Amino acid sequence: MTLGNSLSVVNATKYYKKFKAVDDVNLTVNQGEFLTILGPSGSGKTSLLKLIAGFEQLSNGSIMLNHQDISNKKPYERQIGMLFQNYALFPHMTVFDNIAYPLSLRKMAKEEVKQKVESILKLIHLEEYAQRYPEQLSGGQQQRVALARAIVFNPPLLLLDEPLGALDKQLRKQMQLEIKQIQEHVGITTVSVTHDQEEALTMSDKICVMNKGRIEQVDSPEMLYKQPKNRFVAEFIGEINLIKGQVVSVIDGNAMVKVNEDMSVHIEMNKDASKEMKNKSMLIGLRPENIQIARDQTQFHNTIRVRVLETIYVGEAINIKTKMDTGEEIMAKIPAHMSEMIVKGEEILLGWNSKDACLIPDETTI
Ligand code: ADP
Ligand code: MG
């Protein structure tokens, strides 16, 4: 089932007086897709969502829903479903009446309302709770009812703004999966806003990383993680080591990057990776979890001898803080059962394969 429409944001700019909160944003969300806008506080996420919903007027650009320009439509004319952190249920209405509200508003026949509400109650696993009041539900159940209310009238688009922000961590994780399941089942096009990278990675088909009102990168969770386009994205999503290097050669998507006189690193990139990288200063991006302890120098494409500065236990893994000869630090994350091999102050050999690192422009040298 696919209910939603495609959404395009075209050259969207929003000024609050002289302050540019959204800066020439271009974004397409395909029908049925779940896109998350991810960025730090103040990066313009909510402003962009409000432009889509119609709560704020564009200073420039347009919003297209199903290829139609809706920029000048009032919020209620857009018929968009919304779920916000503090989008409270009506406390004096039952669960049934809360969900039925958007349908009654649209003057739907009673029998049809009953059918629709009952079917969506089944979907959110709250059939038995129809006659309860919101205060008789847990936080997670209330949020599911709010979600049902937001989609019961078959909106073309669902907007979520930090909908799980008020819930504790455990419940948030569970709700992420539930919302995603419901969204997939209904097939509704969804734009969600969060500052929580884990939430974005769990729920999204595509993530749009925002910073200072601008889009830094739009990609699948996997691509964002493996091929961040710049330093901001690399550091905002997960942990990463960034090591300065000079590109010596790029052949068939394989780059050789010199870190110092004694050390070069091999990196496998997309085949279309530009040859223009040659001789450029770049940053080698290396996720701590992609680094392993090496037996010898032949076990991985790349190995490096480092000194252990510190070990930090994080349950299933240990984070090892190490230092290269050059003085640069490298963090590695290895399975906890290998901890006995690591002694603070001693040297170890770290290794990783060429597909497990990426190259990022070194903005300090541009
Ligand atoms: P986010 O949701 O990413 O935290 P917002 O879109 O809420 O960011 O805000 C982006 C920037 O725009 C912030 O600096 C914020 O202070 C400013 N801003 C948001 N709304 C208004 C407003 N109504 N008037 C003036 N400035 C605003
Ligand atoms: Mg916000």
Side-chain angles (χ1 to χ4, degrees):
M1 195 172 17
T2 297
L3 285 179
N5 288 148
S6 64
L7 171 79
S8 292
V9 177
V10 186
N11 300 126
T13 296
K14 175 65 187 174
Y15 281 96
Y16 297 113
K17 301 233 171 67
K18 282 189 175 162
F19 179 73
K20 208 192 275 187
V22 176
D23 187 359
D24 197 23
V25 162
N26 285 285
L27 187 64
T28 298
V29 190
N30 297 321
Q31 190 170 42
E33 222 169 34
F34 193 117
L35 175 128
T36 298
I37 302 168
L38 175 67
S41 179
S43 56
K45 306 183 297 293
T46 296
S47 297
L48 178 56
L49 211 67
K50 283 181 175 169
L51 292 173
I52 297 170
F55 296 140
E56 291 285 357
Q57 283 287 311
L58 287 153
S59 307
N60 192 26
S62 50
I63 309 287
M64 315 284 288
L65 193 55
N66 197 21
H67 310 292
Q68 285 183 327
D69 192 341
I70 57 162
S71 312
N72 294 319
K73 285 197 175 176
K74 299 257 173 338
Y76 66 87
E77 292 171 333
R78 302 187 188 197
Q79 300 274 349
I80 292 171
M82 275 173 275
L83 181 58
F84 296 159
Q85 184 178 325
N86 47 11
Y87 209 58
L89 297 170
F90 305 118
H92 59 285
M93 285 188 193
T94 62
V95 164
F96 185 99
D97 289 338
N98 262 284
I99 298 174
Y101 183 76
L103 303 177
S104 314
L105 212 61
R106 288 167 175 79
K107 313 243 183 297
M108 190 181 273
K110 266 216 164 102
E111 200 40 46
E112 203 183 340
V113 170
K114 188 162 179 283
Q115 229 173 31
K116 282 235 162 205
V117 175
E118 278 173 359
S119 121
I120 208 159
L121 274 169
K122 214 176 268 172
L123 183 66
I124 60 170
H125 307 297
L126 289 178
E127 301 109 294
E128 314 292 320
Y129 293 72
Q131 294 313 317
R132 290 216 192 173
Y133 287 87
E135 61 172 21
Q136 298 170 308
L137 302 178
S138 71
Q141 289 169 335
Q142 288 184 27
Q143 210 57 351
R144 264 142 66 196
V145 173
L147 176 64
R149 188 178 61 180
I151 60 176
V152 69
F153 58 98
N154 293 354
L157 181 68
L158 174 65
L159 301 179
L160 311 170
D161 191 352
E162 312 255 3
L164 308 176
L167 307 178
D168 64 60
K169 193 169 178 192
Q170 202 66 28
L171 185 55
R172 212 160 63 211
K173 282 196 157 176
Q174 186 191 328
M175 285 297 295
Q176 286 166 9
L177 297 176
E178 281 189 30
I179 291 182
K180 178 67 187 153
Q181 241 170 29
I182 294 169
Q183 183 270 338
E184 265 179 17
H185 182 87
V186 180
I188 187 167
T189 314
T190 302
V191 180
S192 179
V193 155
T194 186
H195 64 273
D196 180 341
Q197 44 131 329
E198 204 178 299
E199 186 169 309
L201 292 171
T202 309
M203 298 180 80
S204 325
D205 299 311
K206 267 193 328 208
I207 299 175
C208 161
V209 181
M210 267 188 99
N211 179 29
K212 296 181 183 160
R214 298 186 72 93
I215 292 185
E216 298 277 1
Q217 186 171 355
V218 185
D219 248 319
S220 68
E222 193 187 352
M223 283 304 288
L224 273 184
Y225 201 69
K226 287 188 173 166
Q227 299 285 339
K229 280 197 180 139
N230 56 41
R231 186 173 194 140
F232 181 84
V233 176
E235 291 183 322
F236 195 70
I237 305 213
E239 282 181 69
I240 195 160
N241 295 291
L242 295 172
I243 306 160
K244 275 177 186 285
Q246 184 109 19
V247 180
V248 178
S249 65
V250 186
I251 300 163
D252 268 355
N254 281 293
M256 191 162 89
V257 187
K258 194 167 130 183
V259 175
N260 59 38
E261 288 312 319
D262 308 321
M263 188 193 169
S264 290
V265 172
H266 295 270
I267 297 173
E268 190 183 312
M269 297 182 297
N270 287 340
K271 281 276 182 284
D272 56 352
S274 112
K275 296 208 164 48
E276 289 155 26
M277 282 181 182
K278 202 174 161 192
N279 295 326
K280 284 233 168 91
S281 286
M282 302 278 286
L283 295 170
I284 300 162
L286 187 57
R287 302 277 179 199
E289 61 273 28
N290 286 336
I291 304 178
Q292 298 174 64
I293 307 262
R295 258 193 328 269
D296 56 47
Q297 297 193 335
T298 61
Q299 196 188 351
F300 297 98
H301 298 137
N302 301 290
T303 52
I304 180 172
R305 198 157 281 287
V306 294
R307 194 170 291 281
V308 177
L309 295 179
E310 217 177 311
T311 58
I312 304 139
Y313 287 83
V314 287
E316 77 295 349
I318 20 173
N319 291 332
I320 327 169
K321 194 162 140 188
T322 72
K323 199 160 132 183
M324 307 196 305
D325 282 347
T326 57
E328 276 188 276
E329 288 183 4
I330 295 189
M331 278 285 254
K333 185 175 194 166
I334 63 162
H337 70 263
M338 297 180 81
S339 64
E340 66 273 16
M341 300 174 67
I342 296 142
V343 181
K344 196 168 152 179
E346 300 223 330
E347 282 198 344
I348 50 170
L349 194 62
L350 298 179
W352 66 94
N353 286 324
S354 54
K355 66 167 176 39
D356 291 330
C358 60
L359 276 178
I360 298 164
D362 186 0
E363 282 130 23
T364 56
T365 64
I366 291 172

